[in-house]
Amino acid sequence: MKTHTYGTLGSPSLMLLPGLGVSYEIFLPLISMLKERFYIIAVEVDGFTLDEFTRFTSIDDQAGQAIAFVREHLDGELDCAYGLSMGGKILSRILERDEIKIAHAVLDGAPLLPLPGWLIDPLRYYQCMNVWTCYHWTGFWKFVLHSHYYDVILDECRKVWPFGKGRAVLDGYKDIYTHKLESVADTDIHFWHGSKESFVAKPQVRHLRELHPDVHVEVFEGMNHGQLLADRPQDVAARIIDLI
């Protein structure tokens, strides 16, 4: 795991954890809006790095590395953490381990439940094909597989694929969907998702409410997975500012 920091140490701290198949640079528009207010730590997840080949390890290892950074550099406390998709899964594991203090946590489309065992391999190979075709982006593949994608995600997949390739996608997808969130720390938790991903998101919300009844859930009409960050980073920035 690599970290990129922005802003002034001593300002309210904000950790950003990206999703599977994308780099930390998906957060750059958001960072430009928040770096005057926050000390920002943008994470490069192993397997999805830029300019350096890395292997994905595990959700738990990525969570442990993030925890170690916060302990070493921020006295074990974060004012806010925002995890997108797989980043939300990593953040949920950080909350489950309860080894650092996080005042506010945002899980954006985070997968919190395992899939049936028989379904994992077919879906992870399908996802690998999705990301591969993003890298080899043509009009044909975009038409066949990417009707639910949008240009920011396609561009991100093209950037990170050469440095982790299919192994990172296959290993990451399998680890994400074979673990169930069992508990969460007592903190202010927000779960966001787009209305177009409600079929997948609603079971995650129900499970999270069982563990943490006070969770704040927000649904963004007309949005797909991760689309709020990609299309309206100013809305994400405003919500994070309001949390602090």
Side-chain angles (χ1 to χ4, degrees):
M1 177 181 284
K2 288 185 176 181
T3 55
H4 302 264
T5 59
Y6 304 83
T8 305
L9 185 62
S11 299
S13 54
L14 169 64
M15 178 171 279
L16 303 174
L17 299 132
L20 184 145
V22 302
S23 78
Y24 80 98
E25 289 189 349
I26 198 170
F27 292 121
L28 289 180
L30 179 65
I31 289 168
S32 69
M33 299 173 191
L34 294 177
K35 64 184 180 181
E36 300 301 320
R37 290 174 175 261
F38 292 87
Y39 178 68
I40 301 172
I41 308 99
V43 167
E44 281 193 80
V45 175
D46 291 326
F48 306 99
T49 48
L50 294 174
D51 302 320
E52 179 184 354
F53 177 80
T54 54
R55 289 287 299 270
F56 179 81
T57 52
S58 68
I59 294 297
D60 194 56
D61 178 65
Q62 299 303 302
Q65 291 187 61
I67 289 168
F69 179 94
V70 175
R71 282 176 162 172
E72 180 178 354
H73 299 281
L74 297 167
D75 297 324
E77 297 188 7
L78 273 173
D79 291 294
C80 187
Y82 170 67
L84 173 67
S85 190
M86 178 182 71
K89 181 77 167 189
I90 296 168
L91 177 53
S92 75
R93 182 66 181 120
I94 294 171
L95 294 171
E96 187 173 34
R97 288 174 58 158
D98 197 18
E99 296 171 16
I100 59 174
K101 181 178 179 181
I102 302 176
H104 307 279
V106 179
L107 308 172
D108 189 346
L112 307 176
L113 293 168
L115 288 171
W118 62 268
L119 193 56
I120 291 173
D121 276 343
L123 285 182
R124 73 188 185 117
Y125 281 99
Y126 171 77
Q127 183 68 11
C128 188
M129 176 60 74
N130 256 350
V131 179
W132 180 87
T133 53
C134 289
Y135 179 63
H136 298 277
W137 187 4
T138 68
F140 172 75
W141 283 116
K142 186 176 181 182
F143 174 77
V144 171
L145 291 172
H146 300 151
S147 61
H148 64 297
Y149 278 44
Y150 33 93
D151 288 352
V152 171
I153 299 297
L154 291 167
D155 289 341
E156 281 294 320
C157 290
R158 285 167 62 85
K159 286 193 297 187
V160 301
W161 176 268
F163 305 107
K165 299 199 173 181
R167 178 49 53 195
V169 177
L170 291 171
D171 290 348
Y173 197 91
K174 183 175 183 178
D175 199 55
I176 288 168
Y177 288 105
T178 52
H179 294 88
K180 178 181 178 180
L181 181 67
E182 299 289 353
S183 64
V184 289
D186 184 16
T187 190
D188 177 42
I189 301 176
H190 298 253
F191 193 99
W192 298 351
H193 69 88
S195 62
K196 291 184 177 180
E197 59 174 334
S198 290
F199 176 76
V200 174
K202 284 181 178 179
Q204 321 304 317
V205 171
R206 286 195 295 269
H207 179 63
L208 185 56
R209 278 198 166 124
E210 291 175 1
L211 300 176
H212 192 82
D214 294 331
V215 61
H216 305 278
V217 178
E218 194 163 3
V219 183
F220 300 99
E221 191 61 37
M223 291 282 156
N224 212 322
H225 189 61
Q227 195 170 357
L228 183 71
L229 175 68
D231 286 0
R232 295 178 2 212
Q234 68 276 11
D235 289 359
V236 177
R239 283 170 169 79
I240 289 174
I241 290 169
D242 285 346
L243 289 180
I244 307 300

